[in-house]
Amino acid sequence: MITSFTNIINDVPTPWALYFQDPATPAAEGIIELHDNICFYLIIILVLISWMLYTIIFTFKKNEFSYKYIKHGQSIEIIWTILPAIVLLTIAFPSFILLYLCDEVITPAMTVKVTGLQWYWKYEYSDFVNQTGETIEFESYVIPDDLLEEGQLRLLDCDTKLIVPIDTHIRFICTSADVIHNFAISSLGIKIDCNPGRLNQVSALIERPGVFYGMCHELCGVNHSAMPIAMEAVSLDNFLEWINEQ
C-alpha cells in the first residue's frame, strides 16, 4: 500500500495544495531543496523569538522597573546584529548559486523557440528542417470547456502538446509577438518572461517522462487565464519517431 502511494507523481495543480509539484529537472529539485532549507532556518528563528517574547512578558510582567536605568546594552546589540547577518549569509550563498545555475545554458542538444501571443502559444523546432527548408512549428490553444473529454484538465489541456525528449539538454528561447507573457512550468522549475522584441533563454534537462502543465504567469489581457502550457516528455526514440511524422 505504501509503495503504491509513493509511485504517484503530482505534475498538475491540485485543490488546496500546500506544497510544490513533483520536480522533473535538477533545477526544480534545487528550488524545492532551497525552499526546505530556508523554512528550516525560519522555524528556528520563529521558535527563538517566541521563546524570548514569552520569557520577557511573563518574567517581568509584575516588575515594571526591573531595567529602569539601563540606557545601553552593547553585548545584546552585537548579538542581534551579527546573528541575523550570519543567517542571511547562510541563506544567500545557496540561493545565488542556484540562481546562476538555473541561468546557465551551455551547449544545448536542441532548441525550442517559444512565442507568446494573445492568447495562445506558438512553438518552433528550429533544429529540425525538412527537405523544403521549413522548420517544424505549430500553435497551441486551450481546449474549451464544452470540448473537454474525460480525463482532460480544464484550462490546462491544449489541443496540441509540446513534445520534448527526456535526458536531453533543451534550450527554450522565449519571445512575444504582442505584449509581455511568461512561460512557466512548475515541475520543470521554468519561469521566464516573453518580451516583445527581445529573446530570453532558459534550459531544462527533463529526467522522466510525463505530461507537465504550466500557465502564462504575466497578466497579458482578458484571456490571460486561458493560455496554458502542456508539455509531454517522451523517450528519445519516441521523440525522433514523432519528428519524422511531422
Side-chain angles (χ1 to χ4, degrees):
M1 179 66 69
I2 295 177
T3 304
S4 62
F5 277 108
T6 56
N7 289 335
I8 296 176
I9 303 297
N10 176 27
D11 292 329
V12 296
T14 55
W16 303 100
L18 299 177
Y19 200 62
F20 297 95
Q21 297 177 25
D22 291 329
T25 63
E29 293 175 0
I31 291 171
I32 294 177
E33 183 179 0
L34 177 64
H35 167 270
D36 294 343
N37 290 337
I38 292 177
C39 283
F40 171 76
Y41 292 115
L42 292 180
I43 291 173
I44 293 178
I45 293 172
L46 176 63
V47 172
L48 177 62
I49 298 301
S50 299
W51 174 79
M52 291 176 63
L53 288 175
Y54 176 86
T55 301
I56 293 171
I57 292 173
F58 289 94
T59 301
F60 303 109
K61 64 180 179 179
K62 295 181 180 180
N63 189 352
E64 300 178 358
F65 302 101
S66 296
Y67 295 95
K68 178 179 179 180
Y69 300 105
I70 289 184
K71 302 295 184 183
H72 181 69
Q74 187 173 2
S75 300
I76 190 65
E77 289 183 2
I78 293 175
I79 293 174
W80 72 38
T81 300
I82 294 179
L83 187 60
I86 294 174
V87 173
L88 290 176
L89 290 175
T90 306
I91 295 174
F93 276 117
S95 178
F96 281 118
I97 293 173
L98 179 63
L99 178 64
Y100 287 109
L101 286 176
C102 290
D103 286 340
E104 283 290 337
V105 181
I106 303 175
T107 59
M110 62 173 288
T111 299
V112 178
K113 183 178 179 182
V114 180
T115 304
L117 302 99
Q118 293 177 313
W119 287 272
Y120 60 97
W121 295 97
K122 181 180 178 181
Y123 304 112
E124 178 183 347
Y125 294 80
S126 56
D127 295 322
F128 302 94
V129 181
N130 59 20
Q131 295 179 353
T132 61
E134 297 177 348
T135 59
I136 299 173
E137 59 181 63
F138 55 86
E139 297 169 350
S140 179
Y141 295 85
V142 63
I143 299 178
D145 292 352
D146 54 346
L147 297 180
L148 284 173
E149 300 178 358
E150 185 177 357
Q152 290 183 325
L153 303 174
R154 178 179 176 270
L155 293 181
L156 283 178
D157 264 305
C158 302
D159 59 352
T160 308
K161 291 185 175 68
L162 176 62
I163 309 297
V164 295
I166 63 172
D167 298 327
T168 303
H169 189 192
I170 307 170
R171 173 176 59 179
F172 297 94
I173 296 180
C174 303
T175 187
S176 172
D178 37 49
V179 299
I180 300 177
H181 300 280
N182 188 282
F183 186 73
I185 304 176
S186 298
S187 292
L188 307 187
I190 291 176
K191 185 178 183 294
I192 186 169
D193 281 338
C194 303
N195 298 317
R198 181 184 177 91
L199 296 177
N200 292 329
Q201 67 176 2
V202 66
S203 66
L205 179 65
I206 305 175
E207 299 176 315
R208 59 181 173 83
V211 180
F212 309 104
Y213 295 94
M215 293 289 295
C216 174
H217 280 199
E218 184 71 35
L219 186 61
C220 57
V222 63
N223 287 329
H224 162 69
S225 60
M227 198 173 168
I229 302 161
M231 177 186 295
E232 183 174 357
V234 298
S235 65
L236 183 58
D237 293 337
N238 291 338
F239 174 75
L240 294 177
E241 182 180 349
W242 176 82
I243 286 292
N244 290 330
E245 295 174 354
Q246 303 306 308

